[in-house]
């Protein structure tokens, strides 16, 4: 999403979700927004049903052209390989409308499908999962993530965040075999995601460019 009104809806949804969990302080604007929302390597993707915004996630595509992301601020160790053409996907601000949580158990899978599909589309080397401790088991079970670094304080959040990572190329076949819904689904209406070309902001990894040559 790029329209200002759509983005404002996302920021309000974020605020409501994080406030419901007691993860952020209240503010008069009723939105949750930071400078990372406006960086050139950032994508905002939302899930809507019947015109209602149900969920959203923010993606930062990191490469030698841009190593900016919120998780890199907290865990700067992940930027060490960019000089060698490494690429990283940093998904953050994963939120689901509290009322939708109660009615749509599968919505978690639908939203987490977004960063997985982005990792395939942009052919990233490493995908991150900066998550609270109670969410670690899901990422390890369904997406093949493993803990990388001990928990740290995360800007704007009350609870510490663990950093999990996964090598996308090593794990993608196992993930799709275990949970096919994360991948392309021909018989699911509007299941494709129109990821934009980030030329000039993101460059594929050196491994991909070598293979293409």
């Amino acid at each position: 999403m790029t329209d200002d009104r759509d983005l404002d809806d996302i920021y309000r949804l974020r605020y409501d979700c994080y406030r419901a969990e007691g993860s952020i302080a209240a503010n008069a604007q009723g939105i949750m927004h930071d400078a990372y929302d406006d960086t050139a390597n950032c994508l905002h993707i939302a899930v809507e049903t019947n015109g209602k915004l149900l969920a959203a996630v923010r993606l930062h595509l990191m490469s030698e052209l841009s190593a900016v992301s919120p998780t890199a601020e907290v865990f700067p160790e992940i930027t060490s390989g960019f000089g060698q053409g490494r690429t990283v996907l940093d998904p953050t601000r994963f939120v689901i409308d509290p009322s939708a949580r109660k009615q749509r158990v599968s919505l978690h899978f639908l939203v987490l499908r977004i960063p997985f599909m982005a990792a395939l589309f942009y052919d990233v080397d490493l995908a991150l999962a900066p998550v609270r401790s109670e969410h670690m088991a899901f990422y390890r079970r369904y997406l093949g993530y493993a803990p990388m670094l001990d928990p740290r304080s995360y800007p704007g959040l009350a609870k510490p965040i663990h950093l999990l990572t996964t090598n996308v190329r090593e794990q993608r076949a196992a993930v799709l075999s275990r949970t096919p819904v994360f991948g392309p689904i021909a018989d699911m209406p509007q299941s494709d995601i129109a990821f934009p070309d980030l030329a000039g902001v993101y460059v594929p990894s050196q491994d991909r460019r070598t293979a293409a040559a």
Side-chain angles (χ1 to χ4, degrees), residues 60-188:
H60 281 84
L61 274 298
M62 306 167 65
S63 71
E64 60 192 43
L65 296 183
S66 177
V68 176
S69 91
T71 304
E73 178 183 341
V74 180
F75 300 96
E77 296 92 331
I78 65 174
T79 65
S80 62
F82 288 123
Q84 292 75 47
R86 187 189 197 189
T87 57
V88 175
L89 175 68
D90 181 18
T92 57
R93 302 299 192 239
F94 166 42
V95 292
I96 295 177
D97 184 284
S99 62
R101 283 178 188 269
K102 300 173 183 178
Q103 302 171 18
R104 299 171 179 267
V105 176
S106 61
L107 196 56
H108 288 80
F109 291 90
L110 185 60
V111 182
L112 284 173
R113 178 177 180 266
I114 295 170
F116 185 81
M117 292 288 286
L120 299 184
F121 181 85
Y122 294 107
D123 198 17
V124 301
D125 298 312
L126 190 72
L128 311 180
V131 298
R132 300 200 304 267
S133 57
E134 58 265 36
H135 297 152
M136 291 175 65
F138 185 98
Y139 282 83
R140 298 182 71 170
R141 176 180 179 184
Y142 290 103
L143 290 163
Y145 280 80
M148 179 181 178
L149 295 167
D150 291 335
R152 298 178 186 175
S153 297
Y154 206 87
L157 300 184
K159 299 179 181 179
I161 295 296
H162 296 254
L163 180 62
L164 281 64
T165 63
T166 185
N167 183 307
V168 177
R169 295 188 189 90
E170 290 180 359
Q171 294 292 329
R172 58 190 174 191
V175 170
L176 290 173
S177 175
R178 184 167 52 242
T179 316
V181 72
F182 282 136
I185 304 175
D187 58 355
M188 179 185 290

